[in-house]
């Protein structure tokens, strides 16, 4: 009997020592690299929205439980808490393994080297050791009841955190990005002759590049950059004083337009001959092709100069229809409503994304507003200093603008936004080395994830385009191709 009691005592002491060693070591590792610990929690689908509270709470719990385990009279409740905390960690891993594919481990030190399955086994061993020690300490029903309630509560808390955090992150994101390390994979790249190229569109395994310096020159690559061809657009009229001509591809047609003239040409990509389809008095600064008979434009109101969305229709006669309710004025109606304009052929929706505030607008192909969504940053009002020159009457920016969203691309239901703002728990060093793309599901009005596109030398990404399986980006004089990962493809509706 004495031998049995002695072995029980030794076993309980060893288990308590192992738990103390584990928690003190884990707490110390987290404390020494606390910023990284918070960053990892901020990228977790279970804990993103509660990263600050959880980071302090876990650290405090590990320290408190370690102290309680060192007090013999408090060993029973201390072991119950220790097992509960390990059960919570285990539930976290199980949910990660079954419902996520890109979440980093939030442990510190040597435990971070373990894989998810190894970590699961490690946790289960400690849970079994803790339960055995509790049963050796007290065989009573009360101990079993406390143990059962503690474990059920731990699992329940983790499940509640998962569903609550997911809802907050997708709908009410507190500017915490969820970086998906498998969102894209760089496949290859090719050099361009100069930095004047831009992405004009894609179709049927081909990528089309326009050139601001030579507006009538087109370069066409196959999707793997093995075949490159150059074409010259031939116009039926070339007597216009072009100022900002651009080309957009909507296969089998291409469109060349300059809203400052204003003029729009249309031609087929099979021969690159273009004829004038519009030369009127409706000036515009943005355009997006709807179909072969209609183009959406952003023009300006005659009296105020404020931006205004509308659509040109080329049926029997050219007509235009404006919708003044799309863009919402905050300051001047000109700079504060500036932004990007994309059309999703797959979803038959337009997306207008403001440059200087955290909002994008989704409309149908008739420019009727479906809803107004928000990007994950917190800039609800444009931060601009707008001045009016008395002598000329011109409106200008009196200081560099506070840019929120630089550029966008749309494919089917996904909106890709090149953000200018650093989120919570993000490294300044990485921001200097890469551009950030945030992905939104415009069919659900939800944030999906984020990923990096690293600079080419000192050149940041300037233009990008998304297809059903690839992302193409121009950085300086380099055109890159990235394959889309499974998480992006799963979110992309066909």
């Amino acid at each position: 009997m004495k031998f049995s009691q002695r072995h029980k005592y030794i076993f309980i002491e060893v288990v308590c020592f192992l738990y103390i060693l584990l928690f003190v070591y884990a707490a110390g590792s987290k404390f020494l690299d606390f910023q990284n610990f918070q960053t990892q929690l901020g990228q977790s689908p279970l804990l993103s929205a509660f990263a600050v509270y959880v980071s302090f709470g876990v650290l405090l719990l590990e320290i408190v439980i370690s102290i309680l385990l060192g007090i013999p009279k408090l060993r029973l409740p201390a072991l119950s808490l220790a097992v509960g905390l390990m059960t919570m960690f285990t539930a976290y891993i199980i949910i990660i393994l079954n419902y996520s594919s890109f979440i980093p481990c939030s442990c510190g030190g040597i435990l971070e080297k373990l894989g998810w399955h190894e970590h699961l086994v490690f946790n289960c061993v400690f849970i079994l050791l803790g339960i055995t020690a509790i049963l050796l300490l007290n065989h009573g029903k009360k101990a079993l009841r406390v143990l059962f309630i503690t474990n059920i509560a731990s699992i329940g808390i983790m499940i509640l955190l998962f569903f609550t955090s997911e809802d907050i992150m997708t709908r009410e994101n507190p500017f915490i990005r969820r970086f998906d390390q498998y969102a894209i994979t760089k496949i290859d790249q090719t050099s361009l002759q100069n930095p004047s190229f831009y992405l004009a569109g894609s179709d049927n395994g081909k990528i089309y590049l326009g050139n601001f310096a030579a507006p009538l020159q087109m370069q066409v690559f196959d999707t793997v950059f093995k075949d490159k061809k150059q074409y010259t657009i031939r116009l039926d009229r070339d007597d216009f004083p072009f100022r900002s001509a651009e080309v957009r591809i909507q296969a089998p047609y291409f469109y060349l337009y300059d809203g400052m003239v204003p003029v729009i040409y249309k031609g087929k990509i099979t021969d690159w001959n273009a004829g004038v389809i519009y030369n009127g008095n409706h000036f515009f600064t943005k355009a997006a092709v709807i179909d072969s008979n209609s183009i959406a434009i952003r023009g300006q109101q005659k009296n105020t100069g404020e931006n205004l969305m509308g659509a040109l229709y080329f049926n029997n006669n050219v007509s235009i229809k404006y919708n003044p309710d799309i863009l919402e004025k905050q300051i001047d109606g000109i700079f504060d409503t500036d932004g990007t304009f994309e059309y999703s052929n797959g979803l038959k929706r337009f997306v207008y994304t403001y440059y200087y505030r955290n909002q994008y607008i989704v409309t149908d192909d008739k420019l009727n507003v479906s809803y107004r969504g928000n990007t994950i940053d917190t800039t609800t009002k444009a931060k601009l200093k707008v001045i009016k020159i008395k002598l000329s009457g011109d409106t200008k920016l009196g200081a560099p603008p506070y840019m929120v969203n630089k550029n966008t691309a749309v494919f089917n239901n996904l909106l890709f936004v090149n953000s200018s703002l650093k989120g919570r728990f993000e490294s300044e060093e990485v921001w200097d080395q890469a551009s950030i793309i945030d992905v939104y599901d415009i069919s659900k009005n939800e944030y999906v994830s984020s990923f990096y596109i690293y600079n080419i030398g000192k050149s940041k990404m300037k233009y990008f385009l998304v297809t059903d399986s690839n992302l193409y980006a121009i950085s300086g004089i380099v055109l890159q191709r990235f394959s889309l990962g499974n998480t992006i493809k799963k979110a992309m509706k066909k």
Side-chain angles (χ1 to χ4, degrees):
M1 187 71 179
K2 288 183 179 180
F3 179 82
S4 176
Q5 288 295 330
R6 180 170 174 272
H7 278 79
K8 285 181 181 180
Y9 172 78
I10 293 173
F11 182 85
I12 292 168
E13 288 292 319
V14 169
V15 171
C16 289
F17 174 76
L18 288 174
Y19 265 107
I20 292 171
L21 183 65
L22 174 65
F23 287 154
V24 169
Y25 170 76
S29 299
K30 293 178 178 71
F31 180 77
L32 292 174
D33 196 10
F34 190 69
Q35 185 179 14
N36 184 49
F37 173 53
Q38 276 195 334
T39 299
Q40 290 174 329
L41 289 177
Q43 296 172 19
S44 164
L46 280 73
L47 309 170
S48 301
F50 311 105
V52 174
Y53 305 106
V54 172
S55 60
F56 286 104
V58 169
L59 195 63
L60 183 62
L61 268 176
E62 288 176 337
I63 294 171
V64 169
I65 292 173
S66 298
I67 294 171
L68 294 178
L69 285 169
I71 303 173
K73 290 183 178 180
L74 299 177
R75 287 254 169 96
L76 186 59
L79 278 169
S80 297
L81 287 173
V83 170
L85 188 58
M86 291 302 292
T87 301
M88 196 177 293
F89 292 158
T90 304
Y92 173 84
I93 294 173
I94 291 171
I95 295 173
I96 287 291
L97 288 174
N98 288 278
Y99 300 100
S100 176
S101 61
F102 60 89
I103 306 304
C105 177
S106 59
C107 298
I110 194 171
L111 295 182
E112 196 168 19
K113 306 300 180 184
L114 293 178
W116 286 105
H117 290 91
E118 291 85 354
H119 212 138
L120 182 62
V121 172
F122 180 89
N123 285 6
C124 288
V125 169
F126 263 81
I127 290 172
L128 289 174
L129 289 173
I131 291 173
T132 305
I134 290 171
L135 294 177
L136 290 175
L137 268 173
N138 190 320
H139 288 288
K141 291 182 179 179
K142 184 178 180 181
L144 290 172
R145 193 181 303 116
V146 170
L147 188 62
F148 177 77
I149 293 172
T150 302
N151 282 281
I152 292 298
S154 299
I155 296 170
I157 288 171
M158 194 53 64
I159 293 173
L160 181 63
L161 284 174
F162 172 60
F163 285 109
T164 305
S165 182
E166 277 293 278
D167 187 64
I168 292 174
M169 287 295 292
T170 55
R171 299 182 183 277
E172 307 170 29
N173 191 293
F175 208 5
I176 301 174
R177 286 192 170 90
R178 181 175 299 161
F179 285 100
D180 179 358
Q181 59 182 316
Y182 304 115
I184 59 170
T185 303
K186 185 173 179 179
I187 303 299
D188 47 34
Q189 65 181 50
T190 186
S191 295
L192 305 172
Q193 295 96 323
N194 58 65
S196 301
F197 286 95
Y198 62 92
L199 291 156
S202 65
D203 175 66
N204 196 26
K206 293 180 180 179
I207 304 300
Y208 297 84
L209 271 66
N211 191 328
F212 287 118
L216 300 183
Q217 299 299 313
M218 296 294 298
Q219 281 197 7
V220 183
F221 290 87
D222 65 353
T223 54
V224 295
F225 302 158
K226 299 299 182 185
D227 183 34
K228 180 180 76 171
K229 294 180 180 179
Q230 186 160 315
Y231 300 94
T232 300
I233 296 172
R234 292 174 292 275
L235 307 177
D236 66 344
R237 284 185 59 186
D238 59 1
D239 56 337
F240 295 108
F242 293 115
R243 294 173 58 188
S244 57
E246 287 188 46
V247 176
R248 285 291 176 265
I249 304 298
Q250 182 75 288
Y253 302 103
F254 72 91
Y255 298 80
L256 185 147
Y257 57 83
D258 189 333
M260 296 295 100
V261 175
V263 63
I264 300 174
Y265 293 84
K266 178 182 175 182
K268 288 191 174 182
I269 56 179
T270 52
D271 58 20
W272 296 100
N273 293 320
V276 175
I277 60 171
Y278 176 73
N279 177 215
N281 58 359
H282 295 288
F283 294 86
F284 58 91
T285 51
K286 298 280 184 181
V289 180
I290 303 174
D291 53 41
S292 60
N293 294 315
S294 53
I295 296 178
I297 62 170
R298 188 190 72 187
Q300 292 180 311
Q301 295 186 29
K302 290 183 179 180
N303 297 330
T304 63
E306 295 177 10
N307 289 321
L308 184 67
M309 299 301 301
L312 283 165
Y313 297 96
F314 312 98
N315 295 318
N316 297 325
N317 297 310
V318 177
S319 62
I320 188 166
K321 181 181 178 181
Y322 285 109
N323 183 347
D325 298 325
I326 296 177
L327 304 181
E328 295 181 328
K329 175 180 175 180
Q330 287 186 335
I331 301 171
D332 66 331
I334 303 172
F335 293 107
D336 64 339
T337 56
D338 201 2
T340 64
F341 191 30
E342 308 285 347
Y343 182 64
S344 168
N345 283 302
L347 211 60
K348 305 300 179 188
R349 292 288 185 272
F350 280 105
V351 184
Y352 191 96
T353 307
Y354 289 116
Y355 283 140
Y356 308 116
R357 59 178 118 157
N358 67 343
Q359 189 180 89
Y360 59 88
I361 307 158
V362 179
T363 78
D364 61 18
D365 55 3
K366 303 298 182 185
L367 293 181
N368 298 307
V369 176
S370 300
Y371 70 88
R372 300 176 189 273
N374 292 106
T375 53
I376 60 175
D377 65 276
T378 56
T379 310
T380 57
K381 185 175 176 61
K383 299 177 182 179
L384 300 170
K385 183 180 180 181
V386 179
I387 58 175
K388 193 161 186 176
I389 309 299
K390 292 182 179 179
L391 189 62
S392 63
D394 294 336
T395 301
K396 295 185 177 182
L397 288 176
Y402 183 81
M403 179 74 78
V404 175
N405 304 306
K406 286 183 183 178
N407 204 353
T408 60
V410 169
F411 191 84
N412 286 355
N413 61 304
L414 295 186
L415 168 66
F416 298 78
V417 179
N418 177 201
S419 175
S420 295
L421 302 181
K422 185 164 69 74
R424 298 173 68 185
F425 315 123
E426 291 174 22
S427 166
E428 189 72 43
E429 183 180 357
V430 176
W431 266 86
D432 292 337
Q433 300 172 359
S435 297
I436 307 297
I437 303 291
D438 298 323
V439 185
Y440 302 87
D441 186 338
I442 58 174
S443 66
K444 297 179 180 178
N445 189 16
E446 290 182 355
Y447 165 68
V448 177
S449 63
S450 302
F451 56 86
Y452 296 112
I453 293 182
Y454 285 90
N455 303 346
I456 298 293
K458 293 184 179 180
S459 298
K460 280 188 173 288
M461 180 192 69
K462 192 171 184 181
Y463 307 106
F464 70 104
L465 177 149
V466 180
T467 67
D468 60 343
S469 57
N470 294 305
L471 182 147
Y472 297 88
I474 295 178
S475 301
I477 58 170
V478 177
L479 172 63
Q480 304 175 82
R481 178 170 73 97
F482 302 84
S483 66
L484 299 179
N486 289 332
T487 52
I488 298 296
K489 288 181 179 179
K490 286 179 181 177
M492 187 182 290
K493 292 182 179 179
K494 303 299 181 182

